[in-house]
Amino acid sequence: MSDITQQAQQPVARDFRQIVARLKSPWTVVIAAPLLVFIFDQANTAPVIEFAARAFVGTLPFIFVAVMMIAWLKAAGAEAYVARAFEGRENRMIVLAALLGGLAPFCSCEVIPFIAGLLAVGAPLSAVMAFWLSSPLVDPPTLVITASALGWPFAVGKAASAVALGLLGGFAIKAALAAGLFSDPLRQRSQGGCGCARSPFEGKPEWAFWRTDSRRSVFRSEFASNALFLLQWLALAYVLEALLVTYVPASLIAAAVGGNGVGSIATAAVVGMPAYLNGYVAPPLLAGLMDQGMSAGAAMAFMVAGAVSSIPAMAAVWSLVKRGVFASYLALGLLGAIGSGIIFQLIT
């Protein structure tokens, strides 16, 4: 093939990739789903659109609060504050890591170098595991979105589950290390502090971020990017919830994960791990499932298990530790999800 032909094909291939990328956007489903309902079931078109639109508009104030919170944390440099949890006595580190995991303003691509930096400077694996288990479960935006879809009792229960799961994992790993297990837990590239990871302890938070031009710029960019991110995923979530409520029989949901028994909670946790849903999509969908007969405990177990098995969370663990530690991470997540579901079912 001649160079001229190859050069002519390059713009075509680039345009095709751009089109494919746009089609993968959540907006594609948001637009296509009602169109398909109109084509195949015209009578339900208006109810589906009305349900999704009403839920979406009702969530807008929560989206605004969530976006403001995450933009403020990023602009202030809150990750430096979170890193302070990994200093001092080991028990203190585990507790603080579990408590502060939900405050960490990290996206999936940022948590890996943050944790790599902690391990490089000698943070104990027990405290890191506490952080790993608690941080995927709750952050300011998901807490607010969960409250808007499922109510504050569920949101608070999820936050409490995050802390409890972090404590369980942290102290379990500490006990395992004391018993001689995981004596060499890290992958080779994570050992010894090669210097390629920026120390997470550098800098300090500046909560009054508006006093600095660069931090104001970070706030604006984070506000815009997170607003777009949340809007598109929540629009998708509410469209899917409308389809779920309209077309999935309530009897089917109730038979699988209804009732108050441990079996339904365990089933929800086991199903929730491989069926990971975006943390912003899960609450509206679970609201639909609960309307169809899913128990509160099963919903909590499903959400906790799905968060632990998220691709970003698992990638962070897999990239830095060996298989035994990774398997322990998943086992602790599953047990914690079932326990969270049982406890939440008992108190609600």
Side-chain angles (χ1 to χ4, degrees):
M1 184 181 295
S2 67
D3 292 341
I4 295 176
T5 303
Q6 289 180 339
Q7 291 175 1
Q9 289 179 343
Q10 286 177 357
V12 175
R14 184 172 59 251
D15 292 342
F16 178 76
R17 288 194 296 269
Q18 291 175 348
I19 292 172
V20 171
R22 291 192 183 100
L23 289 176
K24 290 181 179 179
S25 167
W27 294 117
T28 301
V29 179
V30 172
I31 296 171
L35 288 176
L36 290 173
V37 173
F38 178 78
I39 293 171
F40 295 104
D41 187 15
Q42 191 170 351
N44 274 317
T45 304
V48 166
I49 293 175
E50 181 182 355
F51 183 101
R54 184 172 62 250
F56 181 75
V57 171
T59 309
L60 288 178
F62 294 91
I63 295 176
F64 177 78
V65 172
V67 170
M68 287 288 290
M69 291 174 70
I70 194 65
W72 176 52
L73 288 171
K74 290 292 292 185
E79 58 267 30
Y81 182 77
V82 173
R84 298 297 186 271
F86 297 87
E87 297 177 317
R89 296 177 179 271
E90 185 176 5
N91 287 347
R92 171 188 176 277
M93 284 189 267
I94 293 171
V95 173
L96 288 180
L99 287 171
L100 295 178
L103 287 177
F106 302 120
C107 67
S108 59
C109 62
E110 292 172 325
V111 71
I112 295 176
F114 177 80
I115 292 297
L118 289 171
L119 293 172
V121 297
L125 182 64
S126 56
V128 171
M129 182 62 75
F131 181 84
W132 264 332
L133 286 167
S134 65
S135 61
L137 275 168
V138 63
D139 55 44
T142 57
L143 181 67
V144 174
I145 297 304
T146 301
S148 71
L150 298 167
W152 277 108
F154 197 100
V156 172
K158 182 185 176 186
S161 297
V163 175
L165 183 55
L167 293 173
L168 169 67
F171 285 108
I173 293 299
K174 180 185 177 184
L177 291 169
L181 300 176
F182 308 137
S183 59
D184 185 26
L186 306 182
R187 291 183 184 270
Q188 189 63 38
R189 64 176 177 271
S190 299
Q191 296 178 11
C194 63
C196 59
R198 174 181 177 270
S199 172
F201 300 100
E202 293 178 3
K204 62 179 181 179
E206 186 177 326
W207 301 112
F209 68 87
W210 52 86
R211 298 173 180 171
T212 306
D213 289 341
S214 60
R215 292 182 183 270
R216 287 200 301 269
S217 177
V218 170
F219 178 85
R220 288 192 295 268
S221 63
E222 289 293 332
F223 185 93
S225 62
N226 283 286
L228 178 61
F229 180 84
L230 283 175
L231 287 172
Q232 67 179 1
W233 282 108
L234 285 171
L236 171 63
Y238 287 120
V239 167
L240 294 178
E241 182 187 2
L243 296 174
L244 175 70
V245 172
T246 303
Y247 293 110
V248 177
S251 58
L252 180 65
I253 304 299
V257 287
N260 301 323
V262 176
S264 64
I265 294 173
T267 299
V270 171
V271 172
M273 291 202 82
Y276 165 69
L277 296 172
N278 181 295
Y280 306 112
V281 175
L285 286 184
L286 283 174
L289 288 169
M290 291 175 72
D291 288 341
Q292 299 290 80
M294 188 180 205
S295 69
M300 180 63 73
F302 185 97
M303 181 173 285
V304 171
V308 169
S309 67
S310 73
I311 298 302
M314 289 196 299
V317 182
W318 178 261
S319 66
L320 297 172
V321 297
K322 294 182 177 178
R323 293 180 181 178
V325 180
F326 180 77
S328 299
Y329 169 83
L330 293 181
L332 287 166
L334 180 62
L335 291 174
I338 295 172
S340 297
I342 293 173
I343 294 172
F344 190 70
Q345 185 73 37
L346 291 174
I347 64 177
T348 55

